[in-house]
Amino acid sequence: MPPRFILIGSTGFIGKSISRNFKRKLIKYNSKNLNLLKRSDIQKHAKKFQSSTIIYAAGLKRTRGDNFKNFKTNLNLFNNLFQFFLKNTPKKIVFLSSAEVYGYYKGKKKISEKTKINPMTNYSMAKVLQENIIKFFASKLGFKYLILRIPGVYGSDPENQSIICKMVAAKNKKKFFQLNTSGSELRDYVYVDDLGKIISSLSIKNLNNNIINISSGKSFKIKDIICYIEKSLKKKIY
């Protein structure tokens, strides 16, 4: 039997890109056909998890609110799913984590997988806990894992939730972009379709029990990104 690949979170910003770029047959789940908050709903699909590779791209984004309610929801979604792995153990979990687990890094060296994590938000703390849950159950149940720490992402997003999308949307809506920080913090951004290709490629490779940072390798200050977008659009947005 050929390997089975399952994508959970197929209608999200990154999930859609994975769906477009995945080169093998892919079983797609989203909030419309799989409610992770209902264990009875998960039960209906649990047998498909057996010996499959599960790409987990689900969960509430930080842009939807960095509060305890969303923190708890993200953990509940995850924990409900994992309960069904006891009898329907997957072959591998590919988990989309976040570069935010490193917190407000002030070191001189570039961040690497060996950099100490320092979560500073509810969202990033949930990601750290999810990573630990994966590693714990992988050791107990014998499945493999690949944790991908994702940077900022930009691209066409109907919900305009990424910071770059919000900057462009400010121009289209004839409004000014609101920046709640000094703008001096450094950010690394990857185009969403490039990210989808990278995740799709890594998911089918024999990379087991690894944590990998995905990045462009170049960081820019938020205020410099604003200046670049203003020059490109020939309009003040901030």
Short mmCIF file of all heavy atoms in Angstrom, two decimals, residues 116-152:
data_model
loop_
_atom_site.label_atom_id
_atom_site.label_comp_id
_atom_site.label_asym_id
_atom_site.label_seq_id
_atom_site.Cartn_x
_atom_site.Cartn_y
_atom_site.Cartn_z
N LYS A 116 18.51 29.09 22.18
CA LYS A 116 17.60 28.84 23.29
C LYS A 116 16.24 29.45 23.01
O LYS A 116 16.14 30.60 22.58
CB LYS A 116 18.18 29.43 24.58
CG LYS A 116 17.34 29.15 25.81
CD LYS A 116 17.99 29.74 27.06
CE LYS A 116 17.14 29.48 28.30
NZ LYS A 116 17.77 30.06 29.52
N ILE A 117 15.18 28.67 23.24
CA ILE A 117 13.84 29.19 23.03
C ILE A 117 13.43 30.06 24.22
O ILE A 117 13.84 29.83 25.34
CB ILE A 117 12.80 28.07 22.78
CG1 ILE A 117 12.72 27.11 23.97
CG2 ILE A 117 13.13 27.32 21.50
CD1 ILE A 117 11.61 26.08 23.83
N ASN A 118 12.60 31.06 23.90
CA ASN A 118 12.19 32.02 24.94
C ASN A 118 10.81 32.58 24.56
O ASN A 118 10.69 33.75 24.19
CB ASN A 118 13.22 33.14 25.05
CG ASN A 118 12.87 34.13 26.14
OD1 ASN A 118 12.28 33.78 27.16
ND2 ASN A 118 13.23 35.40 25.92
N PRO A 119 9.77 31.75 24.60
CA PRO A 119 8.44 32.21 24.17
C PRO A 119 7.96 33.40 25.00
O PRO A 119 8.04 33.38 26.22
CB PRO A 119 7.56 30.98 24.38
CG PRO A 119 8.27 30.16 25.41
CD PRO A 119 9.73 30.39 25.16
N MET A 120 7.43 34.41 24.30
CA MET A 120 7.01 35.64 24.97
C MET A 120 5.51 35.93 24.82
O MET A 120 5.02 36.92 25.32
CB MET A 120 7.81 36.83 24.41
CG MET A 120 9.31 36.69 24.53
SD MET A 120 9.90 36.78 26.23
CE MET A 120 9.65 38.52 26.57
N THR A 121 4.81 35.06 24.08
CA THR A 121 3.39 35.27 23.83
C THR A 121 2.62 33.98 24.11
O THR A 121 3.20 32.90 24.18
CB THR A 121 3.15 35.67 22.36
OG1 THR A 121 3.60 34.59 21.50
CG2 THR A 121 3.91 36.95 21.99
N ASN A 122 1.31 34.11 24.25
CA ASN A 122 0.47 32.93 24.41
C ASN A 122 0.61 32.00 23.20
O ASN A 122 0.68 30.78 23.35
CB ASN A 122 -1.00 33.35 24.55
CG ASN A 122 -1.30 33.99 25.88
OD1 ASN A 122 -1.12 33.37 26.93
ND2 ASN A 122 -1.74 35.23 25.86
N TYR A 123 0.66 32.61 22.02
CA TYR A 123 0.76 31.84 20.78
C TYR A 123 2.04 31.01 20.74
O TYR A 123 2.03 29.81 20.47
CB TYR A 123 0.70 32.79 19.59
CG TYR A 123 0.91 32.13 18.25
CD1 TYR A 123 -0.12 31.42 17.63
CD2 TYR A 123 2.13 32.23 17.59
CE1 TYR A 123 0.08 30.82 16.39
CE2 TYR A 123 2.33 31.63 16.36
CZ TYR A 123 1.30 30.93 15.77
OH TYR A 123 1.50 30.33 14.55
N SER A 124 3.17 31.66 21.03
CA SER A 124 4.46 30.95 20.96
C SER A 124 4.59 29.92 22.07
O SER A 124 5.19 28.86 21.89
CB SER A 124 5.63 31.94 20.99
OG SER A 124 5.60 32.73 22.16
N MET A 125 4.00 30.19 23.24
CA MET A 125 4.03 29.21 24.33
C MET A 125 3.24 27.97 23.95
O MET A 125 3.66 26.84 24.25
CB MET A 125 3.44 29.84 25.60
CG MET A 125 3.60 28.96 26.83
SD MET A 125 5.33 28.82 27.36
CE MET A 125 5.57 27.06 27.33
N ALA A 126 2.11 28.16 23.25
CA ALA A 126 1.33 27.01 22.78
C ALA A 126 2.15 26.17 21.81
O ALA A 126 2.11 24.93 21.85
CB ALA A 126 0.04 27.48 22.13
N LYS A 127 2.91 26.82 20.95
CA LYS A 127 3.75 26.09 19.99
C LYS A 127 4.81 25.26 20.71
O LYS A 127 5.07 24.11 20.34
CB LYS A 127 4.41 27.06 19.01
CG LYS A 127 3.48 27.71 18.01
CD LYS A 127 2.91 26.71 17.04
CE LYS A 127 2.11 27.38 15.93
NZ LYS A 127 1.47 26.39 15.02
N VAL A 128 5.41 25.84 21.74
CA VAL A 128 6.43 25.11 22.51
C VAL A 128 5.81 23.88 23.16
O VAL A 128 6.39 22.78 23.13
CB VAL A 128 7.06 26.03 23.57
CG1 VAL A 128 7.94 25.22 24.53
CG2 VAL A 128 7.88 27.13 22.91
N LEU A 129 4.65 24.04 23.76
CA LEU A 129 3.97 22.92 24.40
C LEU A 129 3.61 21.84 23.38
O LEU A 129 3.76 20.64 23.65
CB LEU A 129 2.72 23.40 25.13
CG LEU A 129 2.96 24.30 26.35
CD1 LEU A 129 1.65 24.84 26.89
CD2 LEU A 129 3.71 23.54 27.44
N GLN A 130 3.15 22.26 22.21
CA GLN A 130 2.81 21.29 21.16
C GLN A 130 4.04 20.53 20.68
O GLN A 130 3.98 19.32 20.44
CB GLN A 130 2.12 22.01 19.99
CG GLN A 130 0.71 22.49 20.33
CD GLN A 130 0.15 23.43 19.30
OE1 GLN A 130 0.83 24.34 18.82
NE2 GLN A 130 -1.11 23.24 18.94
N GLU A 131 5.16 21.23 20.55
CA GLU A 131 6.41 20.55 20.17
C GLU A 131 6.77 19.49 21.20
O GLU A 131 7.17 18.37 20.85
CB GLU A 131 7.55 21.57 20.06
CG GLU A 131 7.47 22.49 18.85
CD GLU A 131 8.70 23.39 18.74
OE1 GLU A 131 9.67 23.16 19.51
OE2 GLU A 131 8.70 24.30 17.91
N ASN A 132 6.63 19.83 22.48
CA ASN A 132 6.98 18.88 23.54
C ASN A 132 6.03 17.69 23.58
O ASN A 132 6.45 16.57 23.87
CB ASN A 132 7.00 19.61 24.89
CG ASN A 132 8.19 20.53 25.04
OD1 ASN A 132 9.23 20.33 24.40
ND2 ASN A 132 8.05 21.56 25.86
N ILE A 133 4.76 17.95 23.31
CA ILE A 133 3.78 16.85 23.25
C ILE A 133 4.17 15.87 22.15
O ILE A 133 4.14 14.65 22.33
CB ILE A 133 2.36 17.41 23.00
CG1 ILE A 133 1.84 18.13 24.26
CG2 ILE A 133 1.39 16.29 22.62
CD1 ILE A 133 0.58 18.92 24.03
N ILE A 134 4.55 16.41 21.01
CA ILE A 134 4.96 15.56 19.88
C ILE A 134 6.16 14.70 20.26
O ILE A 134 6.18 13.48 20.05
CB ILE A 134 5.30 16.42 18.65
CG1 ILE A 134 4.02 17.01 18.05
CG2 ILE A 134 6.03 15.59 17.58
CD1 ILE A 134 4.28 18.03 16.95
N LYS A 135 7.18 15.31 20.83
CA LYS A 135 8.40 14.57 21.18
C LYS A 135 8.13 13.52 22.25
O LYS A 135 8.68 12.41 22.19
CB LYS A 135 9.49 15.55 21.62
CG LYS A 135 10.05 16.38 20.47
CD LYS A 135 11.20 17.27 20.89
CE LYS A 135 10.73 18.54 21.53
NZ LYS A 135 11.84 19.51 21.78
N PHE A 136 7.27 13.85 23.20
CA PHE A 136 6.94 12.90 24.27
C PHE A 136 6.23 11.67 23.69
O PHE A 136 6.63 10.53 23.95
CB PHE A 136 6.06 13.58 25.32
CG PHE A 136 5.57 12.64 26.39
CD1 PHE A 136 6.41 12.28 27.44
CD2 PHE A 136 4.30 12.10 26.33
CE1 PHE A 136 5.96 11.41 28.43
CE2 PHE A 136 3.85 11.23 27.32
CZ PHE A 136 4.68 10.88 28.37
N PHE A 137 5.16 11.89 22.90
CA PHE A 137 4.40 10.77 22.38
C PHE A 137 5.14 10.01 21.29
O PHE A 137 4.93 8.81 21.11
CB PHE A 137 3.03 11.23 21.88
CG PHE A 137 2.04 11.43 22.99
CD1 PHE A 137 1.74 12.69 23.45
CD2 PHE A 137 1.43 10.35 23.60
CE1 PHE A 137 0.84 12.88 24.50
CE2 PHE A 137 0.53 10.51 24.63
CZ PHE A 137 0.24 11.78 25.09
N ALA A 138 6.04 10.70 20.59
CA ALA A 138 6.87 10.00 19.60
C ALA A 138 7.74 8.96 20.29
O ALA A 138 7.93 7.84 19.79
CB ALA A 138 7.73 10.99 18.84
N SER A 139 8.26 9.30 21.47
CA SER A 139 9.10 8.36 22.21
C SER A 139 8.28 7.21 22.80
O SER A 139 8.79 6.10 22.95
CB SER A 139 9.85 9.09 23.33
OG SER A 139 8.95 9.56 24.32
N LYS A 140 7.02 7.47 23.11
CA LYS A 140 6.16 6.45 23.71
C LYS A 140 5.51 5.54 22.68
O LYS A 140 5.38 4.32 22.89
CB LYS A 140 5.07 7.11 24.56
CG LYS A 140 5.57 7.95 25.72
CD LYS A 140 6.32 7.10 26.75
CE LYS A 140 6.77 7.95 27.93
NZ LYS A 140 7.54 7.15 28.93
N LEU A 141 5.08 6.14 21.55
CA LEU A 141 4.30 5.38 20.57
C LEU A 141 5.12 4.93 19.36
O LEU A 141 4.67 4.08 18.59
CB LEU A 141 3.10 6.22 20.09
CG LEU A 141 2.13 6.68 21.17
CD1 LEU A 141 1.01 7.53 20.55
CD2 LEU A 141 1.53 5.47 21.90
N GLY A 142 6.29 5.52 19.18
CA GLY A 142 7.18 5.05 18.13
C GLY A 142 7.02 5.71 16.77
O GLY A 142 7.61 5.24 15.79
N PHE A 143 6.25 6.80 16.68
CA PHE A 143 6.17 7.48 15.38
C PHE A 143 7.31 8.49 15.26
O PHE A 143 7.96 8.86 16.23
CB PHE A 143 4.80 8.14 15.18
CG PHE A 143 4.46 9.23 16.17
CD1 PHE A 143 4.98 10.51 16.05
CD2 PHE A 143 3.57 8.98 17.21
CE1 PHE A 143 4.67 11.52 16.94
CE2 PHE A 143 3.24 9.98 18.11
CZ PHE A 143 3.79 11.25 17.98
N LYS A 144 7.56 8.92 14.03
CA LYS A 144 8.61 9.90 13.75
C LYS A 144 8.00 11.30 13.73
O LYS A 144 6.78 11.46 13.63
CB LYS A 144 9.29 9.60 12.41
CG LYS A 144 9.80 8.18 12.25
CD LYS A 144 10.85 7.84 13.29
CE LYS A 144 11.38 6.41 13.06
NZ LYS A 144 12.37 6.03 14.10
N TYR A 145 8.84 12.30 13.79
CA TYR A 145 8.33 13.67 13.70
C TYR A 145 9.31 14.58 12.98
O TYR A 145 10.51 14.31 12.90
CB TYR A 145 8.03 14.23 15.10
CG TYR A 145 9.24 14.44 15.98
CD1 TYR A 145 10.03 15.59 15.88
CD2 TYR A 145 9.62 13.48 16.93
CE1 TYR A 145 11.13 15.78 16.69
CE2 TYR A 145 10.72 13.66 17.75
CZ TYR A 145 11.48 14.82 17.62
OH TYR A 145 12.58 15.01 18.41
N LEU A 146 8.76 15.66 12.43
CA LEU A 146 9.55 16.73 11.83
C LEU A 146 8.88 18.03 12.23
O LEU A 146 7.73 18.28 11.88
CB LEU A 146 9.59 16.60 10.31
CG LEU A 146 10.35 17.70 9.56
CD1 LEU A 146 11.82 17.72 9.97
CD2 LEU A 146 10.24 17.51 8.05
N ILE A 147 9.59 18.84 13.00
CA ILE A 147 9.05 20.13 13.46
C ILE A 147 9.68 21.24 12.62
O ILE A 147 10.91 21.36 12.56
CB ILE A 147 9.35 20.34 14.95
CG1 ILE A 147 8.60 19.29 15.80
CG2 ILE A 147 8.98 21.76 15.38
CD1 ILE A 147 9.00 19.27 17.26
N LEU A 148 8.83 22.02 11.96
CA LEU A 148 9.29 23.10 11.10
C LEU A 148 8.91 24.43 11.74
O LEU A 148 7.73 24.72 11.93
CB LEU A 148 8.65 22.98 9.71
CG LEU A 148 8.88 21.65 8.99
CD1 LEU A 148 8.12 21.62 7.67
CD2 LEU A 148 10.37 21.40 8.75
N ARG A 149 9.90 25.22 12.08
CA ARG A 149 9.65 26.53 12.69
C ARG A 149 9.58 27.59 11.59
O ARG A 149 10.56 27.86 10.91
CB ARG A 149 10.72 26.85 13.73
CG ARG A 149 10.59 25.95 14.97
CD ARG A 149 11.69 26.16 15.98
NE ARG A 149 11.47 25.35 17.18
CZ ARG A 149 12.40 25.08 18.09
NH1 ARG A 149 13.63 25.56 17.94
NH2 ARG A 149 12.10 24.33 19.15
N ILE A 150 8.37 28.16 11.45
CA ILE A 150 8.04 29.01 10.31
C ILE A 150 8.28 30.48 10.65
O ILE A 150 7.92 30.94 11.74
CB ILE A 150 6.56 28.81 9.92
CG1 ILE A 150 6.25 27.32 9.73
CG2 ILE A 150 6.22 29.61 8.68
CD1 ILE A 150 7.02 26.65 8.64
N PRO A 151 8.84 31.26 9.72
CA PRO A 151 9.04 32.71 9.95
C PRO A 151 7.78 33.48 9.56
O PRO A 151 6.70 32.90 9.40
CB PRO A 151 10.19 33.03 9.01
CG PRO A 151 9.93 32.13 7.83
CD PRO A 151 9.36 30.85 8.42
N GLY A 152 7.91 34.77 9.37
CA GLY A 152 6.80 35.55 8.82
C GLY A 152 6.51 35.10 7.40
O GLY A 152 7.42 34.69 6.67
#
